[in-house]
């Protein structure tokens, strides 16, 4: 019981409930390891007792938590509960981030302590922002806290908008250097907004990757979440490119880039990120030698000043990684500390390389801005939707620069569930909730602010992580992990505040196991959820497909995601065959196929009964259109079209549970026959335009007056 009390004080769970009728105890060894990662000694019974006494004394003596949230409501303002609970007569001074100040006195004290004539001093109407508050009690005790004043809700999208979900690397144009780039992103945004009335374009995380041989291609295990990867740069769009003197070498690089692109589009080779970066890096070295003009230099200096220490740390890691390798835990001892004297000397010695990497960050930022401008200029109501990965690579730049913020020896994952009996370990070190709170959530605020600079919306992967994360001790199986709780109110307040400042919509990926109350809390703050057709069933009742009118409004409705089969693969059952060939099935093939066919048949029959399948049950393209007609019948504020669905691609971009068995994150968009399609072919595809007519104004969603044929159970399009 003593260990359980100590764990509870630090937000560490000693049991979890995988289902409503089942509770699983967490091994004591796990609780002890997690507490150690939080700086709490629980190695022996004596240590547990001493740590518990210290924690309880600290709680009793604490006037205020390290971070306080105040939701800025339109009603007459009232003090946040933690401030309202201060001893009567406590004086509070708030220093706003804009340089102003406001004073308040906790009510209940003597008249001279409250205000003239004994009146109660009202809580000041503070501006939105991150402020500092200092409290002083009548008996002389003081406390200082970060005060986050946030609006009640995030900005919302238009009443209804649709757009595309795109893995940028997979969309190569005739100008790409072997993988899709930010020039392609601007082009597809301009086309989608003007030609098919799209309101948004959601892309995979563009975070900086950890270099390697080969580089981890997953965009969800980056080196840094704060800074984008320069591999996405369109080299020819950099103004200084035109002034490079070594034109012969640039021409040779262009020829090599053309061959690399053709190897993917014409020869069916996989996207080779490392080969692309080798070419671009050499070109960027030549571009870097060109002096910036006065205006460009001023803009670059503004960017450096805005980013400050965070950018310097990121570029320093990049420069050190060039010399010592990308795993900072293997660097010479003193260089593992970003604040050591040795690292300071290295910064001076490597100043040219650091400038190279800060310049690349700036160039990538400018092209991201251009892509968002292209989207807005094309009439998109939202524009680009960027994606925030749940964590970072343990060997990367963020883990080095912010290592005191991360829990050592821990990895984020997921507990065992109906889909994965062994649980999951994602290999991502978690943020320490205590350090985040003590810093006023500064790393989190900086991360959000940078991601939202050029975004109309932000998708947060595994948004449940704002509430709790499954921590797995290093060397242990995922089943031996436990949940660690975060201050969800503070995490949400910072998110809502930064989204408000950017005028951006927020989308939470809330698929999978979600604890009670989380979706309600997110909805209350205006965070949209994610609803995928195949998972939307009446789970508490009949188990049948959920009627479109019963879907939630505050969501992005989609037919699939990057981790799931394309709609064509789902409808044809091809995804089951793929998993069988890779040895991923847990049951006999015939059993899996029969269950899958029954599910697809049920959906097709339902779509037909709703009048959404005028083409009949035996046409794959018609069935895909019916799926999207169904999504348009729902009240969802945003409807996302998986771009490969529009051209009949049957291959998943990522197949969970595989590493080298399947080319995850390395496939170009392809047609039904598996042949890669260039961006120019995608946007001119008759199949795509047939699907997009479903979204045309006045097209309707019911195909009224068209005779339909109900599909028998188990029927599949051909």
């Amino acid at each position: 019981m003593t260990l359980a009390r100590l764990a509870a004080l630090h937000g560490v769970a000693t049991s979890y409930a995988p289902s409503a009728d089942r509770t699983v105890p967490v091994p004591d060894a796990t609780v002890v390891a997690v507490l150690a990662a939080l700086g709490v000694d629980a190695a022996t019974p004596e240590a547990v007792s001493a740590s518990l006494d210290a924690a309880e004394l600290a709680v009793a003596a604490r006037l205020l938590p390290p971070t306080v949230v105040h939701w800025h409501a339109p009603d007459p303002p009232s003090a946040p509960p933690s401030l309202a609970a201060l001893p009567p007569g406590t004086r509070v001074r708030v220093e706003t981030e804009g340089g102003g100040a406001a004073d308040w006195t906790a009510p209940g004290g003597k008249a001279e302590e409250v205000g003239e004539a004994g009146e109660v001093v009202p809580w000041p109407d503070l501006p939105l922002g991150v402020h500092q508050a200092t409290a002083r009690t009548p008996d002389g005790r003081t406390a200082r806290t970060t005060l986050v004043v946030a609006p009640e809700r995030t900005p919302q999208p238009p009443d209804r908008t649709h757009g595309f979900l795109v893995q940028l690397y997979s969309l190569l144009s005739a100008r790409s250097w072997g993988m899709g780039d930010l020039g392609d992103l601007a082009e597809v945004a301009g086309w989608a907004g003007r030609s098919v009335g799209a309101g948004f374009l959601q892309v995979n995380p563009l975070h900086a990757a950890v270099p390697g041989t080969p580089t981890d291609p997953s965009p969800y295990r980056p080196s840094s979440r704060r800074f984008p990867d320069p591999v996405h740069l369109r080299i020819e769009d950099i103004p200084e490119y035109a002034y490079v003197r070594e034109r012969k070498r640039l021409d040779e690089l262009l020829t090599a880039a053309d061959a690399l692109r053709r190897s993917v589009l014409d020869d069916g080779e996989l996207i080779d990120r490392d080969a692309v970066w080798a070419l671009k890096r050499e070109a960027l070295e030549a571009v870097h030698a060109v002096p910036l003009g006065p205006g460009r230099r001023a803009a670059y200096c503004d960017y450096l000043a805005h980013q400050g220490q965070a950018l310097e740390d990121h570029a320093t890691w990049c420069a050190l990684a060039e010399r010592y390798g990308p795993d900072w835990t293997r660097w010479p001892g003193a260089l593992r500390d970003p604040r050591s004297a040795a690292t300071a000397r290295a910064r001076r010695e490597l100043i040219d390389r650091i400038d190279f990497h800060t310049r690349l960050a700036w160039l990538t930022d400018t092209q991201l801005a251009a892509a968002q401008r292209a989207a807005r200029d094309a009439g998109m109501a939202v524009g680009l939707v960027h994606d925030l990965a749940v964590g970072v690579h343990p060997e990367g730049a963020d883990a080095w620069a912010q290592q005191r913020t991360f829990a050592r020896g821990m990895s984020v994952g997921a507990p065992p569930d109906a889909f994965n009996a062994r649980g999951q370990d994602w290999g991502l070190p978690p943020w320490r909730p205590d350090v985040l709170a003590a810093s006023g959530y500064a790393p989190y605020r900086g991360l959000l602010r940078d991601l939202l600079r050029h975004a109309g919306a932000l998708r947060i992967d595994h948004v449940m992580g704002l509430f709790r994360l499954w921590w797995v001790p290093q060397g242990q199986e995922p089943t031996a992990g436990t949940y660690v709780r975060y201050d969800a109110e503070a995490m949400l307040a910072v998110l809502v505040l930064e989204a408000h400042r950017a005028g951006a919509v927020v989308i939470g990926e809330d698929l999978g196991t979600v604890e009670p109350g989380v979706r309600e809390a997110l909805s209350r703050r205006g965070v949209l959820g994610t609803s995928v057709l195949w998972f939307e069933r009446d789970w508490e009742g009949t188990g049948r497909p959920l009627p479109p009118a019963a879907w939630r409004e505050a969501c992005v409705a989609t037919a699939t995601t990057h981790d799931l089969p394309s709609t064509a693969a789902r409808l044809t059952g091809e995804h089951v065959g793929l998993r069988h060939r890779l040895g991923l099935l847990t049951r006999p093939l015939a059993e899996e196929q029969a269950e899958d066919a029954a599910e697809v048949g049920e959906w097709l029959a339902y779509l037909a009964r709703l009048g959404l399948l005028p083409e009949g049950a035996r046409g794959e393209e018609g069935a895909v259109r019916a799926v999207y007609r169904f999504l348009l019948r729902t009240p969802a504020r945003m409807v996302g079209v998986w771009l490969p669905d529009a051209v009949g691609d049957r291959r998943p971009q990522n197949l969970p549970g595989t590493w080298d068995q399947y080319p995850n994150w390395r496939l170009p968009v392809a047609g039904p026959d598996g042949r890669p399609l260039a961006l120019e072919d995608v946007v001119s595809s008759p199949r795509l335009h047939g699907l997009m007519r479903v979204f045309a104004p006045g097209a309707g969603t019911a195909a009224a007056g068209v005779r339909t044929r109900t599909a028998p159970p188990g029927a599949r399009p051909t």
Side-chain angles (χ1 to χ4, degrees), residues 3 64 114 133 213 294-295 305 321 344 360 368 386 392 459 482 535 538-539 567 581 634 707 710:
L3 179 61
L64 290 170
V114 177
T213 48
L360 296 191
L368 278 171
H386 288 295
V392 296
R459 175 192 180 271
T482 189
F535 301 152
D538 181 12
W539 297 112
T567 304
R581 292 192 295 274
T634 74
R707 296 182 64 183
T710 300

Side-chain angles (χ1 to χ4, degrees), residues 168-491:
L168 178 58
Y169 60 85
S170 72
L171 196 59
L172 292 73
S173 74
R175 299 180 181 179
S176 304
W177 286 32
M179 61 182 282
D181 60 34
L182 292 172
D184 296 324
L185 182 61
E187 289 287 349
V188 75
W191 162 81
R194 290 186 173 89
S195 298
V196 294
F200 66 91
L201 189 64
Q202 179 180 307
V203 295
N204 56 285
L206 303 181
H207 309 320
V210 177
T213 48
T215 299
D216 186 344
S218 172
Y220 290 94
R221 204 164 181 248
S223 172
S224 174
R225 294 189 294 175
R226 184 163 181 171
F227 297 102
D229 199 311
V231 75
H232 299 113
L233 282 168
R234 168 68 62 82
I235 302 297
E236 298 93 324
D237 287 353
I238 301 171
E240 289 72 34
Y241 174 85
Y243 300 98
V244 173
R245 293 183 179 276
E246 297 294 328
R247 304 309 303 181
K248 180 179 179 182
R249 182 54 186 154
L250 283 186
D251 289 343
E252 291 172 347
L253 291 174
L254 284 172
T255 299
D258 181 66
L260 195 58
R261 179 181 62 252
R262 290 180 181 278
S263 73
V264 175
L265 295 177
D266 298 341
D267 303 332
E269 297 291 331
L270 298 176
I271 292 170
D272 188 340
R273 182 192 183 101
D274 294 330
V276 173
W277 177 235
L279 296 177
K280 288 190 175 184
R281 183 190 183 100
E282 187 174 347
L284 288 166
E285 296 281 4
V287 168
H288 185 65
V290 177
L292 295 173
R296 295 270 290 167
R297 168 62 62 177
Y300 177 44
C301 290
D302 280 352
Y303 179 76
L304 293 176
H306 173 78
Q307 296 295 342
Q309 185 71 57
L311 177 59
E312 184 179 350
D313 285 344
H314 175 72
T316 300
W317 180 90
C318 293
L320 289 170
E322 290 177 336
R323 178 170 291 186
Y324 300 107
D327 183 356
W328 64 270
T329 65
R330 298 178 181 271
W331 292 353
L335 294 179
R336 299 173 195 171
D337 181 356
R339 302 293 169 254
S340 71
T343 300
R345 288 193 298 272
R347 290 182 198 269
R348 293 191 292 271
E349 294 169 3
L350 297 170
I351 187 63
D352 289 341
R353 298 310 300 163
I354 291 173
D355 182 66
F356 174 70
H357 291 290
T358 55
R359 182 89 66 89
L360 296 191
W362 171 61
L363 292 173
T364 313
D365 184 80
T366 61
Q367 291 196 4
L368 278 171
Q372 174 65 353
R373 282 197 304 273
R376 288 297 179 87
D377 290 347
M380 286 192 176
V382 175
L384 300 184
V385 181
H386 288 295
D387 198 347
L388 172 60
V390 72
V392 296
H393 197 290
E395 299 170 5
D398 284 2
W400 174 73
Q402 302 173 22
Q403 56 193 271
R404 292 175 178 83
T405 309
F406 289 100
R408 293 190 178 187
M410 293 291 141
S411 177
V412 173
D417 56 27
F419 299 99
N420 194 326
R422 299 181 61 184
Q424 300 175 58
D425 183 346
W426 302 331
L428 310 169
W431 268 336
R432 285 180 53 166
D434 56 333
V435 176
L436 276 182
S439 71
Y441 294 84
Y444 179 50
R445 287 189 277 120
L447 169 62
L448 291 174
R449 193 165 297 183
D450 275 352
L451 284 173
L452 289 165
R453 278 168 60 83
H454 310 303
L458 179 66
R459 175 192 180 271
I460 300 180
D461 192 43
H462 193 67
V463 73
M464 296 81 78
L466 300 181
F467 297 77
R468 64 179 186 178
L469 282 172
W470 184 258
W471 288 22
V472 181
Q474 190 171 24
Q476 299 296 314
E477 292 295 322
T479 52
T482 189
Y483 280 113
V484 176
R485 193 161 292 283
Y486 292 75
D487 184 343
E489 184 177 40
M491 297 286 278

Side-chain angles (χ1 to χ4, degrees), residues 127-191:
L128 299 175
V130 181
H131 315 311
Q132 298 299 314
T134 304
R136 181 181 295 276
T137 66
D139 61 6
R141 291 180 296 157
T142 62
R144 188 170 176 82
T145 187
T146 299
L147 177 61
V148 180
V149 181
E152 291 192 297
R153 289 170 59 81
T154 62
Q156 297 297 291
D159 290 340
R160 164 59 64 87
T161 186
H162 68 273
F164 290 104
L165 317 179
V166 180
Q167 300 287 296
L168 178 58
Y169 60 85
S170 72
L171 196 59
L172 292 73
S173 74
R175 299 180 181 179
S176 304
W177 286 32
M179 61 182 282
D181 60 34
L182 292 172
D184 296 324
L185 182 61
E187 289 287 349
V188 75
W191 162 81

